[in-house]
Amino acid sequence: MSASASIPSRVIAFFSSFGLAAVVLALLLLLTFLGTLEQAEYGLVASQERYFESVFVDRIDIGACWRALAFDHYWDIGNIILPVNILPGGYLLMAILFVNMFLGGLIRIRKSPRTIGVVISHFAILFMIAAGAVTYHFAKEGILNLTEGQTHDEFQSFHERVIEIEAVKPTGERRTALVIDQRLFTDLGNSSDHGKARTFTHENLPFDLVITNWKQHAEPKRATDVTRGDAVDGYFIQALSRNDPRTGQLLADEALSQACIVIAKDKKTGAEQKGILWEYAAAPWTATFGDQKYLINIGRRSYRLPFAIRLDHTEQEKHPGTERARRFTSKVTKLHGQREEKRVITMNEPVRGEGYALFQSSFDDGSGSSSGGVKRSGFQVVENPSDHWPLISCIIVSVGLLIHFMMMLSRAMKWNPWIAVTNTLLIVTAGFVIAYWKL
Amino acid sequence: MISFPPSSAATRLGFAALIGLSSALPSCKPLDEIEPITESRELSQYARKQLVDISSADRFYDQAEPAEDPNAPQQHPLLWVTPEGWTEKPSSQMRLIDFSFGPNGEGECYLAALPGPAGGLAANINRWRSQIGAPALTDEEIDKLPRKNFLGGPAHFVSVDGSFKGMGDEASAKQDYRLLGLIHQASELTLFIKMTGPKALVEEHAAKFDAFCQSVQFRKKAEKIPSH
């Protein structure tokens, strides 16, 4: 590169360089290492969020990593947390890697018959990175729990929470709910200042809703002290430790129970009604304005399926002579209006259709004291537009590397490279056709 | 082949671009502002039914009773309306509700409860009949006795006239008496309402007996939340 190269060309040279690729890959390796170690104490979701889905890593718990490596057996360093804000997170690194590979592996790479395999492989890796981005931004994932005989067409997100406001309507009328995403209220609890609040309004509501005192993991407690200032209807929100009392590890996000206080303020009179919302509450809080009642609830975000699922029958197969489960199977009916379709969901054999995949996730044979003899199945529901992209990407990478290998081999063996590559592709294609036909 | 960037200026520029990306980080919403609600969804026809006006205790599965005030009077497990002119007497282990009526308090009416079937319907009816000198009834005759609604279900109604000796002997029997009674068998206990007194006085208060029986009910507990 000449010394007089323009600034844009220098920028492109930087972003397409091997050096940047090496740094990014090294940082990705570091993130994978740290994130995997921290996962032991922080759980999968928290580590994933901090290291692999972030733009910048906000801190590194060296102490947790140390303990995960069992080094504390020799030397306990205690709790050491580095407030790192410059270490790029997985999201940013993958974005840079995409740019780097696009510029370096597709645009700037020398195109010749000898590099065609490498170009194909680079393209496939870019495709895989894109699949990750599509999954991160557009995939929906959650759980659908059904008892035998029950039908439903909604599943609940594992991690996303919302506050919903629903007007009470006569039975049979169409029901709608206003939805407040958790991103709009979870910052209200990141402080010991319980006065933090935000007001939400909608033209169809006769009241404004103030959300305050949000806690990520809490439960309502009876306020025995009548002088408590934060008591609502005889209860207050007691924050709970996020650590499992038995293991000391951080609880998984799914196990947390959010809670907050809401104040419904009459738009005309300013009169207030106050209630506590709790994720595990048996029923929503009711606010009354004139003759109209409103149900307000905090819970998991619901997603609608394009079909309904009825759980007809569940089966559990155990290892002979043991109580250990070997296989759970659910016989279900997919309902499309009047049309019914019998399907079977079992472990590692999901039901796919209309962009969704339903996996057998959990099973309850009803023998537990709290089950009441009712059998249940939990289905993990995934809607991922890029569901098959990684597989396609892997196939393309394999083909690209195979072509590159044949090119190098034919060069060494003094074969005609194009005949060698063509024959190889024909064999690979035939293999895929046979595999697809037989499977 | 791609060369390594030789220029430190280009490196600095590249890192400046990376830092610039950080400005795209989402920032937290400022507090104390009014935020319009922009999102809504239609609920499924299979969504759980609306549970309205559920108490905080039920919403939070709080089964614990409020702390008992040692000075507070104990609540009676039953509710009832005392008929006009009847005098309520202190309840006892045997008589959950106890009344006297009449000019000299010679009429009495009480409600008792015994666990389980309490010996059986026929034995109890015939015990009452024997107390007033009436012969025992067969099972078929008992089956033909009238029923009255009591605590939401049918209860056998007994009406017998004769010389009432109660638990005493024949010599102490009171002449020309009437016994009115209801026996209600529930799954875990049997409830008795028994009214005795001079026949004319009991006839006079028969309507009040019915009214009292109709008024008896268990003290309501917090409604259970329907399961889904």
Side-chain angles (χ1 to χ4, degrees):
Chain A
M1 189 173 288
S2 69
S4 60
S6 64
I7 289 179
S9 63
R10 288 181 181 183
V11 170
I12 289 173
F14 169 77
F15 276 104
S16 61
S17 66
F18 275 131
L20 183 63
V23 169
V24 167
L25 290 172
L27 287 173
L28 282 171
L29 188 67
L30 179 66
L31 290 189
T32 307
F33 182 67
L34 295 173
T36 306
L37 291 179
E38 266 202 26
Q39 187 186 323
E41 288 191 15
Y42 287 84
L44 175 66
V45 174
S47 290
Q48 195 168 310
E49 198 175 313
R50 170 156 294 118
Y51 286 96
F52 308 124
E53 296 173 353
S54 59
V55 177
F56 283 95
V57 177
D58 59 352
R59 60 117 190 86
I60 298 171
D61 191 336
I62 298 295
C65 297
W66 188 264
R67 289 186 289 276
L69 290 165
F71 286 163
D72 59 326
H73 179 72
Y74 308 102
W75 178 30
D76 189 358
I77 64 170
N79 293 318
I80 299 176
I81 295 177
L82 296 181
V84 178
N85 284 302
I86 193 67
L87 183 64
Y91 190 94
L92 180 58
L93 289 175
M94 292 306 285
I96 296 169
L97 187 64
F98 186 91
V99 173
N100 176 265
M101 293 194 78
F102 180 75
L103 293 175
L106 289 186
I107 304 297
R108 295 193 68 197
I109 192 170
R110 186 179 299 157
K111 280 93 176 173
S112 72
R114 205 183 297 172
T115 59
I116 188 167
V118 178
V119 173
I120 290 172
S121 296
H122 277 122
F123 170 77
I125 294 169
L126 286 171
F127 189 54
M128 190 180 281
I129 295 172
V134 171
T135 299
Y136 177 71
H137 286 289
F138 301 108
K140 293 171 188 168
E141 194 175 8
I143 187 83
L144 168 62
N145 286 307
L146 292 176
T147 57
E148 274 191 353
Q150 191 183 9
T151 307
H152 216 311
D153 60 357
E154 283 179 349
F155 63 98
Q156 269 70 48
S157 168
F158 286 122
H159 313 299
E160 286 182 72
R161 270 79 164 185
V162 292
I163 288 176
E164 292 195 336
I165 307 165
E166 180 191 358
V168 175
K169 291 184 176 173
T171 308
E173 272 196 30
R174 194 169 69 95
R175 292 167 59 187
T176 56
L178 297 172
V179 180
I180 302 172
D181 191 272
Q182 66 173 4
R183 286 173 299 174
L184 299 171
F185 58 80
T186 50
D187 60 321
L188 302 175
N190 297 330
S191 160
S192 57
D193 174 12
H194 297 314
K196 278 186 170 183
R198 184 167 293 124
T199 303
F200 295 86
T201 189
H202 191 274
E203 56 186 5
N204 292 344
L205 291 178
F207 61 90
D208 290 334
L209 190 74
V210 180
I211 299 174
T212 184
N213 201 20
W214 173 85
K215 287 185 169 55
Q216 189 177 29
H217 189 39
E219 67 179 4
K221 288 272 189 189
R222 186 189 287 270
T224 50
D225 179 1
V226 293
T227 60
R228 277 194 80 103
D230 57 349
V232 177
D233 193 24
Y235 291 84
F236 68 98
I237 298 176
Q238 172 74 64
L240 299 174
S241 167
R242 286 200 56 192
N243 292 87
D244 189 313
R246 291 167 301 167
T247 63
Q249 294 186 348
L250 270 188
L251 290 166
D253 183 74
E254 301 93 288
L256 304 182
S257 53
Q258 299 191 358
C260 66
I261 289 174
V262 288
I263 304 162
K265 262 187 190 171
D266 193 313
K267 282 179 179 170
K268 289 179 185 167
T269 65
E272 294 184 354
Q273 296 173 48
K274 206 184 251 192
I276 290 178
L277 305 188
W278 182 44
E279 196 171 342
Y280 290 162
W285 174 62
T286 306
T288 306
F289 290 86
D291 296 333
Q292 182 63 57
K293 290 178 185 292
Y294 295 86
L295 302 174
I296 304 171
N297 196 33
I298 187 169
R300 309 290 172 93
R301 179 181 279 280
S302 288
Y303 294 109
R304 197 76 176 269
L305 288 164
F307 49 83
I309 288 283
R310 184 178 65 223
L311 178 60
D312 297 323
H313 182 62
T314 59
E315 286 174 2
Q316 184 185 23
E317 196 180 320
K318 293 179 179 173
H319 288 283
T322 72
E323 286 300 306
R324 204 154 53 89
R326 182 161 75 177
R327 189 180 179 88
F328 302 130
T329 302
S330 299
K331 293 180 178 173
V332 301
T333 303
K334 269 179 86 179
L335 300 161
H336 302 261
Q338 298 299 316
R339 188 162 58 87
E340 296 190 356
E341 187 184 344
K342 299 283 183 190
R343 302 291 288 269
V344 175
I345 303 174
T346 189
M347 294 160 75
N348 302 321
E349 292 177 30
V351 158
R352 294 181 188 275
E354 290 154 83
Y356 291 85
L358 277 75
F359 298 85
Q360 182 81 44
S361 166
S362 61
F363 182 86
D364 183 353
D365 65 0
S367 60
S369 57
S370 61
S371 305
V374 181
K375 291 183 179 177
R376 302 163 193 271
S377 273
F379 302 113
Q380 185 175 343
V381 185
V382 180
E383 186 208 14
N384 185 0
S386 59
D387 188 17
H388 295 294
W389 293 12
L391 175 64
I392 296 168
S393 169
C394 284
I395 293 169
I396 300 173
V397 166
S398 305
V399 171
L401 291 178
L402 193 62
I403 290 173
H404 186 64
F405 172 75
M406 289 309 296
M407 283 288 185
M408 296 298 111
L409 185 65
S410 56
R411 189 180 172 198
M413 302 296 288
K414 302 194 187 311
W415 295 341
N416 182 331
W418 295 113
I419 292 174
V421 167
T422 307
N423 288 339
T424 305
L425 287 178
L426 279 173
I427 292 167
V428 169
T429 307
F432 274 117
V433 169
I434 291 168
Y436 183 77
W437 176 52
K438 295 301 285 181
L439 296 174
Chain B
M1 289 295 290
I2 302 159
S3 61
F4 285 90
S7 163
S8 59
T11 308
R12 281 197 298 273
L13 197 62
F15 277 109
L18 291 184
I19 299 299
L21 284 172
S22 66
S23 62
L25 279 172
S27 57
C28 289
K29 290 275 178 189
L31 299 172
D32 297 326
E33 65 175 13
I34 292 187
E35 184 80 24
I37 302 172
T38 56
E39 191 183 345
S40 66
R41 74 178 182 102
E42 187 175 339
L43 274 71
S44 160
Q45 59 171 314
Y46 304 105
R48 80 174 187 177
K49 69 180 181 183
Q50 295 173 315
L51 301 172
V52 184
D53 285 330
I54 307 296
S55 70
S56 293
D58 285 334
R59 289 178 60 226
F60 304 145
Y61 313 99
D62 186 5
Q63 301 295 322
E65 295 294 328
E68 282 188 15
D69 177 359
N71 300 318
Q74 283 218 323
Q75 281 199 321
H76 199 286
L78 295 169
L79 292 171
W80 67 91
V81 177
T82 302
E84 197 179 332
W86 289 19
T87 304
E88 189 174 338
K89 297 192 284 186
S91 62
S92 65
Q93 193 174 359
M94 294 302 294
R95 297 184 177 191
L96 295 178
I97 309 170
D98 199 3
F99 297 112
S100 65
F101 57 91
N104 303 307
E106 58 270 55
E108 67 174 18
C109 180
Y110 67 85
L111 183 148
L114 290 173
L121 181 67
N124 281 301
I125 288 175
N126 286 327
R127 180 172 54 83
W128 278 356
R129 289 179 65 84
S130 72
Q131 286 176 0
I132 207 163
L137 297 178
T138 63
D139 287 345
E140 288 76 23
E141 288 170 324
I142 288 171
D143 201 41
K144 288 176 185 169
L145 287 175
R147 312 287 206 276
K148 289 197 175 192
N149 189 42
F150 179 62
L151 285 171
H156 286 78
F157 176 62
V158 179
S159 175
V160 202
D161 294 342
S163 302
F164 184 66
K165 63 175 181 176
M167 305 291 283
D169 53 19
E170 297 287 346
S172 61
K174 296 166 186 169
Q175 303 299 313
D176 205 17
Y177 257 55
R178 173 168 287 183
L179 181 154
L180 300 181
L182 272 185
I183 299 180
H184 174 76
Q185 288 188 305
S187 56
E188 293 177 354
L189 79 168
T190 305
L191 289 166
F192 304 90
I193 297 184
K194 182 180 173 186
M195 181 180 188
T196 54
K199 185 177 173 183
L201 183 68
V202 169
E203 270 183 353
E204 187 187 329
H205 287 260
K208 291 180 179 176
F209 172 81
D210 283 340
F212 166 67
C213 292
Q214 294 304 309
S215 73
V216 175
Q217 57 181 295
F218 287 109
R219 189 176 290 278
K220 271 190 179 173
K221 292 193 171 177
E223 259 185 30
K224 294 284 177 202
I225 296 163
S227 59
H228 297 276

